[in-house]
Amino acid sequence: MSDRSVHVARTVAGIAVFSAAVLAFTAASGSEPRIITSEASWSAEAHTETQLLYDPEDSGPTIPGIPPGEDPGAYLDTAAIAEINSTPALKPVELTEGLDYAHSAPQVHWTSMDFCHSFTLENTTSEPVEWELSLAVAPAPTWGWQPFSTAVTAPGQVTHSDGKYTFEQGAWSGSSWETVSWDPGEGIWTIRGNTQADSANHSPIPAGDTIQAQFCPRGVPEPEPNPALYTWEFGGTPESWGVNLGVRIETSVITSIPWRIYIDLEDYVCGDYLDEGARVRWGDGYIVEPLTGEAHLYSVRLPSADQDSRVRDTITIPPWGDYRHLVAIEAAQGSNLLDHLPPNC
């Protein structure tokens, strides 16, 4: 049995990383990942080829910050989760004096990174107020999304033929606001009430009144998967023929985030048997990467085109059922897998 995780619980959770990583963006990779797909049947030749795919000498990812033998579940970063759930990108960095700003949780489109944001502005003064607010788009849940491809310094630059204002990289509902400016260097987007809009929510806001507005970013970029933001567990009962392992991933983050999990096959089958007899078959579509210097420890994720590659508080992976199929470890012909299970290695 490996000392990298707890076999009895068979539960692995997020690994500690610096909280600043919550705001990091996906780094460019120097090599293309391998997408492993299951095969309909097995032969000695196929088994040999599969083992070659998992060469432990290959350069691969590493798990940051986990001491050997400790339970990774202790490294869930609740402070980072709370910071994301406070939706810092949706809090104005500047707001017209005399207004109270409030908003509910973003309305997420299934497990997409995209969402809609609704907010209210209450005029607490005794005079009408023309409202304006600025947002910083680098943090969650916009993750560096940009409303325009180039800088905007005046509203007239983004007027459309119908006379309304919108942003290039998304969609919005209502006609109660317009873009004032977009500063890509600072990541600051400023909007204001539209005085020409045919809407009950236009500007100015009468004394004591409240207006509601909404915008819906599209094409929101994904941050780098941060294992400190979610938990995962594996399920499967070994039989004489082998074991099918499934995975369940959960988080308390209220907006979609990408995931990457880690599995040590030696927690389930003895290492020497994995090398010499067992047949390993990964589920369709997974990107499987061996960790550098490790024989049977793997990083596993799904490509971003697969909507199951993201998770949030109300959408687990799998969305329905107990577990999503991850990997099958099959006994060699004429062999009994139950004879090759930890701790009897």
Side-chain angles (χ1 to χ4, degrees):
M1 174 181 171
S2 168
D3 64 355
R4 291 185 290 266
S5 57
V6 181
H7 173 64
V8 175
R10 294 188 177 179
T11 300
V12 184
I15 294 91
V17 294
F18 294 107
S19 295
V22 175
L23 303 180
F25 303 121
T26 304
S29 173
S31 60
E32 291 296 322
R34 284 164 290 189
I35 299 181
I36 308 302
T37 58
S38 61
E39 299 179 20
S41 60
W42 281 89
S43 65
E45 291 78 8
H47 176 51
T48 301
E49 291 172 359
T50 300
Q51 293 300 324
L52 290 176
L53 287 175
Y54 310 145
D55 184 354
E57 297 304 317
D58 285 354
S59 175
T62 59
I63 300 181
I66 174 172
E70 291 196 15
D71 179 9
Y75 292 88
L76 195 65
D77 193 337
T78 56
I81 292 173
E83 173 65 13
I84 292 175
N85 286 348
S86 73
T87 58
L90 304 181
K91 296 178 179 178
V93 293
E94 291 186 21
L95 177 65
T96 302
E97 187 176 357
L99 299 179
D100 280 347
Y101 173 94
H103 68 92
S104 56
Q107 298 173 316
V108 183
H109 176 61
W110 192 236
T111 56
S112 168
M113 297 298 296
D114 300 341
F115 63 91
C116 283
H117 172 60
S118 297
F119 61 91
T120 60
L121 292 171
E122 181 184 3
N123 181 358
T124 62
T125 76
S126 58
E127 300 291 337
V129 172
E130 294 187 358
W131 67 268
E132 183 172 303
L133 63 86
S134 297
L135 301 166
V137 300
T142 45
W143 301 108
W145 165 83
Q146 298 192 3
F148 300 94
S149 57
T150 58
V152 173
T153 58
Q157 291 180 250
V158 291
T159 187
H160 284 216
S161 58
D162 60 3
K164 299 178 182 178
Y165 298 83
T166 186
F167 38 84
E168 296 173 347
Q169 308 300 325
W172 58 285
S173 61
S175 57
S176 56
W177 58 267
E178 63 191 31
T179 292
V180 177
S181 63
W182 160 242
D183 183 344
E186 297 294 328
I188 301 297
W189 179 40
T190 301
I191 63 175
R192 70 184 180 193
N194 189 339
T195 60
Q196 305 301 318
D198 182 17
S199 169
N201 294 324
H202 65 68
S203 190
I205 306 172
D209 277 10
T210 299
I211 64 102
Q212 183 176 34
Q214 182 186 71
F215 58 85
C216 302
R218 295 292 182 258
V220 176
E222 292 189 357
E224 181 72 14
N226 180 352
L229 302 179
Y230 48 88
T231 61
W232 65 90
E233 64 179 10
F234 305 112
T237 302
E239 305 286 352
S240 60
W241 63 268
V243 60
N244 276 323
L245 295 175
V247 64
R248 183 174 179 83
I249 306 166
E250 298 178 295
T251 185
S252 55
V253 175
I254 64 174
T255 55
S256 297
I257 55 171
W259 56 263
R260 179 199 301 268
I261 62 172
Y262 300 88
I263 183 170
D264 187 349
L265 298 187
E266 289 186 35
D267 284 346
Y268 303 94
V269 177
C270 295
D272 57 352
Y273 190 68
L274 287 167
D275 292 333
E276 299 170 5
R279 302 167 179 176
V280 177
R281 181 171 53 174
W282 296 96
D284 285 336
Y286 286 106
I287 298 173
V288 179
E289 299 172 278
L291 270 70
T292 302
E294 303 288 348
H296 305 111
L297 183 59
Y298 297 95
S299 157
V300 185
R301 58 190 173 94
L302 288 168
S304 60
D306 189 324
Q307 98 176 341
D308 278 358
S309 67
R310 291 168 289 274
V311 65
R312 59 187 173 94
D313 65 334
T314 57
I315 300 291
T316 61
I317 302 302
W320 302 280
D322 291 333
Y323 296 93
R324 175 181 168 122
H325 173 63
L326 179 65
V327 61
I329 305 174
E330 300 175 354
Q333 186 173 3
S335 176
N336 186 334
L337 187 77
L338 300 179
D339 296 333
H340 304 277
L341 303 181
N344 303 313
C345 294

